[in-house]
């Protein structure tokens, strides 16, 4: 644990209590990041920054506020904390705003989550530039003469955060993140200029794909969009590509949050223990996934992390209920939000599944769209490729799917064996039957 951060957080708690806070919670975030992008074989943007921020949550006279500052000098913090408490006392009362019962801090797991790269300090400026240059060169080489532009980028950061509360909670988290990708625009028929991309995100550099692979994948995905056409409206099986599943899954997850339930904005509020999807759908929230981008031992409230099955074989099992909304709802708290979401993979490859389905649409991206967490109604634009007998063919563009989530997820027929690992949501490609794909 960073002793300097620990001492400052402890001092800030004591200052807040002596200045009139009934209870308080203090967090200090220290982050260093580097961001680089290249375009036309030269740097387009280079940014490096180190930041430290202190945020404090004040509970005073039945009132609450959260405030932050980047001036961590003790003289400045004394004034900041005093002002935070004074302004908090001017707000309206909220009897539900308290620190959690300390019993929910208990049982915290003790394990190495593998979210810190010990070699982060060896990642040199020269290596960063070489990686991004290689991504751009690979993108250009693989995309060919139709290229209009390529933007390649890399980002990395190292973060430390300490969280401390006046009722005894103490927690520390240290992590690293690496991200790299490319975005390519190509010339199509007429004035169409499809744009595609590829990216990867990991907590350790050694787990990243090669820059050449990232560039080649970006080119492949972009060229697959050439000749995209709107087809006639048809009821077809569709496969949503693994890395794009989170976009459609979000409409099912949002109603599972305490805020939406309490505010009557959840079509799942009364569905716990009931079937809300096909038996093919299981969603696990696993905060202990080694190397997971969302791995953690505690959440924003300090609640000890637990592995939970949110949906099991289509049956809704859990909600995400933070401390505040647990008090407003009169429910037990679970967690303020998801950590690593995992849909267990199936046994068959996309190729095998496509061959058996015959004809359908492979969705590789979404455009716009909306999802109503109160009713479950959703509509979203899609693009991708038509497939027939296992082979990808005509590019599909400017089409739309519209449905209600409670109906749509019942159509989930199979889960592929290809989980996308470069995300907090480890989702395989999903197969849905009898989906109305709207076009002309």
């Amino acid at each position: 644990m960073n002793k300097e951060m620990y001492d400052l957080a402890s001092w800030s708690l004591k200052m807040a209590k002596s200045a009139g806070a009934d209870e308080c919670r203090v967090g200090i975030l220290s982050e260093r990041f580097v961001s680089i992008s290249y375009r036309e074989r030269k740097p387009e943007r280079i940014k490096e920054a180190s930041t430290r921020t202190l945020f404090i949550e004040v509970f005073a006279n039945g009132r609450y506020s959260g405030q932050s500052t980047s001036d961590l000098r003790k003289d400045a913090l004394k004034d900041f904390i005093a002002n935070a408490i004074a302004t908090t006392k001017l707000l309206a009362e909220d009897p539900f705003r308290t620190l959690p019962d300390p019993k929910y801090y208990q049982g915290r797991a003790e394990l190495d989550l593998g979210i810190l790269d010990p070699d982060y300090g060896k990642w040199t400026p020269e290596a960063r530039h070489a990686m991004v240059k290689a991504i751009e060169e690979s993108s250009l080489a693989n995309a060919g003469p139709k290229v209009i532009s390529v933007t390649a980028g890399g980002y990395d950061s190292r973060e430390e955060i300490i969280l401390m509360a006046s009722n005894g909670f103490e927690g520390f988290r240290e992590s690293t993140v690496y991200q790299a990708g490319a975005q390519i625009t190509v010339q199509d028929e007429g004035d169409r200029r499809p744009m595609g991309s590829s990216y990867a995100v990991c907590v350790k550099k050694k787990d990243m794909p090669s820059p050449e692979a990232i560039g080649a994948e970006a080119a492949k995905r972009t060229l697959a969009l050439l000749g995209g056409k709107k087809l006639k409206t048809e009821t077809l099986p569709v496969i949503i590509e693994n890395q794009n599943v989170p976009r459609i899954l979000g409409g099912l997850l949002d109603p599972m949050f305490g805020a939406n339930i309490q505010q009557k904005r959840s079509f799942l509020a009364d569905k716990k223990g009931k079937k809300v999807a096909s038996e093919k759908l299981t969603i696990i929230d696993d905060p202990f996934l080694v190397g997971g981008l969302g791995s953690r031992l505690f959440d924003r409230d300090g609640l000890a992390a637990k592995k939970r099955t949110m949906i099991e074989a289509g049956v809704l099992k859990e909600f995400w209920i933070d401390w505040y909304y647990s008090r407003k709802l009169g429910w037990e708290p679970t967690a303020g939000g998801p950590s690593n979401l995992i849909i267990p993979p199936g046994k068959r490859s996309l190729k095998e599944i496509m061959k058996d389905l015959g004809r359908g649409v492979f969705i590789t991206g979404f455009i716009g769209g909306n999802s109503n967490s109160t009713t479950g109604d959703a509509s979203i634009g899609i693009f991708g490729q038509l497939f027939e007998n296992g082979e990808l063919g005509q590019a599909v563009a400017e089409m739309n799917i519209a449905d209600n989530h409670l109906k749509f997820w019942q159509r989930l027929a199979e889960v592929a064996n290809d989980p996308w690992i470069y995300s907090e949501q480890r989702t395989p490609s999903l197969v849905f039957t009898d989906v109305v794909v709207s076009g002309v």
Side-chain angles (χ1 to χ4, degrees):
M1 183 179 292
N2 186 308
K3 187 176 186 305
E4 181 187 356
M5 291 172 63
Y6 180 90
D7 290 345
L8 186 58
S10 181
W11 177 87
S12 298
L13 281 181
K14 292 175 183 176
M15 286 298 303
K17 290 284 284 184
S18 65
D22 297 324
E23 298 285 0
C24 57
R25 181 163 51 213
V26 171
I28 300 177
L29 170 67
S30 177
E31 180 187 27
R32 176 186 182 269
F33 75 87
V34 179
S35 178
I36 299 171
S37 67
Y38 269 66
R39 186 181 172 93
E40 297 179 352
R41 293 189 167 93
K42 56 189 177 185
E44 182 181 48
R45 184 189 73 252
I46 302 173
K47 187 175 182 180
E48 179 176 356
S50 294
T51 61
R52 276 199 173 186
T53 304
L54 180 145
F55 59 90
I56 186 168
E57 294 174 274
V58 176
F59 305 84
N61 296 352
R63 295 161 171 83
Y64 164 86
S65 75
Q67 303 182 44
S68 64
T69 179
S70 58
D71 189 344
L72 304 192
R73 297 171 301 161
K74 284 190 174 180
D75 285 345
L77 281 175
K78 284 182 182 178
D79 291 338
F80 167 75
I81 292 169
N83 288 334
I85 293 167
T87 55
T88 301
K89 290 180 177 180
L90 299 175
L91 301 174
E93 288 188 56
D94 187 345
F96 300 105
R97 287 287 188 185
T98 67
L99 288 176
D101 185 326
K103 72 179 183 181
Y104 294 106
Y105 301 154
Q106 305 305 310
R108 189 195 309 176
E110 296 183 10
L111 71 158
D112 181 0
L113 295 173
I115 57 176
L116 176 68
D117 189 344
D119 295 326
Y120 182 76
K122 300 176 184 178
W123 188 225
T124 65
E126 294 78 12
R128 290 181 174 96
H129 282 268
M131 178 191 72
V132 178
K133 286 179 182 178
I135 293 173
E136 183 184 26
E137 289 300 330
S138 177
S139 299
L140 289 165
N142 284 281
K146 291 185 178 290
V147 170
I148 296 174
S149 68
V150 172
T151 301
Y155 170 92
D156 59 82
S157 71
R158 182 177 184 275
E159 180 182 285
E160 295 174 278
I161 184 168
I162 188 164
L163 189 65
M164 193 176 292
S166 57
N167 66 345
F169 176 82
E170 293 181 2
F172 180 73
R173 185 178 189 269
E174 190 173 12
S175 61
T176 48
V177 169
Y178 298 85
Q179 182 172 341
Q183 188 174 74
I184 304 175
T185 303
V186 292
Q187 183 64 58
D188 201 355
E189 302 169 4
D191 60 356
R192 291 189 74 251
R193 296 185 175 188
M195 181 173 65
S197 63
S198 179
Y199 72 95
V201 190
C202 290
V203 300
K204 293 183 178 178
K205 178 67 179 65
K206 67 179 180 64
D207 295 328
M208 291 285 284
S210 71
E212 292 77 15
I214 292 172
E217 181 65 15
K220 176 184 174 182
R221 295 178 66 82
T222 306
L223 294 177
L225 302 176
L226 290 171
K229 289 182 171 55
K230 186 185 295 188
L231 307 178
K232 290 183 179 180
T233 297
E234 193 172 349
T235 300
L236 291 167
V238 303
I239 302 175
I240 301 178
E241 184 187 28
N242 54 9
Q243 62 186 281
N244 287 289
V245 167
R247 179 71 184 280
I248 199 82
L249 184 62
L252 183 66
L253 301 180
D254 284 349
M256 296 168 66
F257 283 80
N260 283 329
I261 295 168
Q262 191 273 329
Q263 294 166 21
K264 311 298 183 186
R265 299 197 312 257
S266 171
F267 64 85
L268 295 178
D270 60 349
K271 297 291 191 295
K272 188 173 181 179
K274 298 179 181 179
K275 193 170 183 291
V276 298
S278 156
E279 63 277 359
K280 300 292 184 181
L281 183 65
T282 292
I283 301 176
I284 299 167
D285 185 355
D286 186 359
F288 307 130
L289 182 68
V290 175
L293 288 161
S295 297
R296 65 192 185 202
L297 300 179
F298 55 88
D299 71 0
R300 180 67 180 77
D301 286 321
L303 306 184
K306 294 182 180 180
K307 184 176 178 179
R308 302 175 188 275
T309 299
M310 308 305 294
I311 293 177
E312 183 174 22
V315 177
L316 179 63
K317 295 290 188 177
E318 291 274 14
F319 295 108
W320 286 291
I321 312 294
D322 65 11
W323 176 249
Y324 177 62
Y325 282 103
S326 77
R327 285 173 53 77
K328 298 196 83 169
L329 289 164
W331 295 6
E332 276 290 297
T334 55
S339 55
N340 302 293
L341 287 186
I342 299 169
I343 295 179
K347 297 179 179 180
R348 298 204 301 163
S349 68
L350 277 177
K351 186 80 172 178
E352 292 173 301
I353 294 170
M354 284 183 184
K355 189 172 182 180
D356 281 354
L357 287 175
R359 183 170 181 274
V361 175
F362 181 46
I363 298 173
T364 58
F366 295 101
I367 301 173
N370 59 78
S371 181
N372 188 318
S373 65
T374 304
T375 64
D377 293 333
S379 176
I380 193 166
I382 66 167
F383 59 86
Q385 289 176 273
L386 197 66
F387 63 83
E388 293 191 67
N389 301 316
E391 299 297 326
L392 291 170
Q394 170 68 49
V396 173
E398 300 176 25
M399 300 190 74
N400 186 77
I401 56 175
D403 210 333
N404 184 282
H405 282 285
L406 288 174
K407 296 178 181 178
F408 181 75
W409 289 96
Q410 297 286 355
R411 297 191 179 98
L412 177 63
E414 189 169 355
V415 177
N417 66 355
D418 60 344
W420 179 248
I421 63 172
Y422 304 114
S423 170
E424 293 179 359
Q425 297 191 28
R426 298 203 170 189
T427 54
S429 298
L430 300 182
V431 183
F432 295 83
T433 56
D434 299 322
V435 177
V436 178
V437 183
S438 301
V440 294

